[in-house]
Amino acid sequence: MADQWLFKSETYDNCNCAMNCGCQFNLPSTHGYCQSAFVGTIVEGHFNDTPLSGLNWAALYKWPGEIKDGNGRRQIVIDERADEAQRIALETIVSGEACEPLSNLFAVFASTCSEFCETLFLPIDLDADLEQRTARVEIQGVMRSTGRPTINEFTGQPFHIALARPSGSFEFTYAEIGIGTTSVTGDMEMAFEDSWAHFCVHHFNQDGLVRERSRLTAWLGT
């Protein structure tokens, strides 16, 4: 029987593109190459009988050109609190395995990578508020990042931008948009400042993206 799993993560992503990230708007990347850092907390999840809720994870990616052109590099970081079964399960999911081909973010990105760095098992300090578009991340010796909303230059107040993807996306159905600053050291050395960030619920299972209305849309009412 095929593996049965659920991965529902509240996720912060910061990449090196400007506020019109080509991945979301079917455009070329801002700088002609792509770098991205995803960090999340699993709010609901399992892999067969192995529970995953409460664990943190990160996936770091670098491509020398556009993502579609391949030759990318990837590194996965898994919460050191995970036991052996949870480590195997999370690495399987975030590697893009045990799912329909190209059915979620991890599987698509894995297909564009040719170099896979050693998976790390470390403390992942993540404090994120998806509705407020704020995040603070520290993975000691690997990554630091902060996320925040854009600010309206006329009022000084947070500028609310959201992105709905009712179809076509392999990542999310809805995301809050902000800006972030990230530095990564080690095998995935990269840095970008005041660039595209989004805050979303990654909701995947073995069949792909689960198209369920995100809790982040609560402000829209019924």
Side-chain angles (χ1 to χ4, degrees), residues 11 14 24 78 85 122-123 134 160 165 182 189 203 208:
T11 304
N14 184 204
Q24 307 303 335
I78 292 174
L122 297 169
T134 61
H160 191 181
R165 297 293 305 273
T182 293
E189 184 174 0
H203 193 177

Side-chain angles (χ1 to χ4, degrees), residues 121-198:
F121 301 94
L122 297 169
I124 300 173
D125 186 5
L126 169 63
D127 182 11
D129 185 325
L130 274 60
E131 285 88 351
Q132 298 301 314
R133 288 94 70 202
T134 61
R136 181 188 57 80
V137 180
E138 180 160 3
I139 306 174
Q140 190 169 5
V142 176
M143 174 184 173
R144 286 186 175 180
S145 184
T146 57
R148 59 184 175 84
T150 57
I151 300 299
N152 187 313
E153 63 178 302
F154 300 104
T155 67
Q157 297 301 308
F159 190 61
H160 191 181
I161 309 169
L163 181 63
R165 297 293 305 273
S167 64
S169 176
F170 47 73
E171 183 180 359
F172 56 76
T173 57
Y174 178 93
E176 296 284 348
I177 309 304
I179 56 177
T181 295
T182 293
S183 62
V184 176
T185 58
D187 292 334
M188 297 292 293
E189 184 174 0
M190 55 186 173
F192 27 93
E193 183 176 1
D194 292 340
S195 55
W196 170 277
H198 67 258

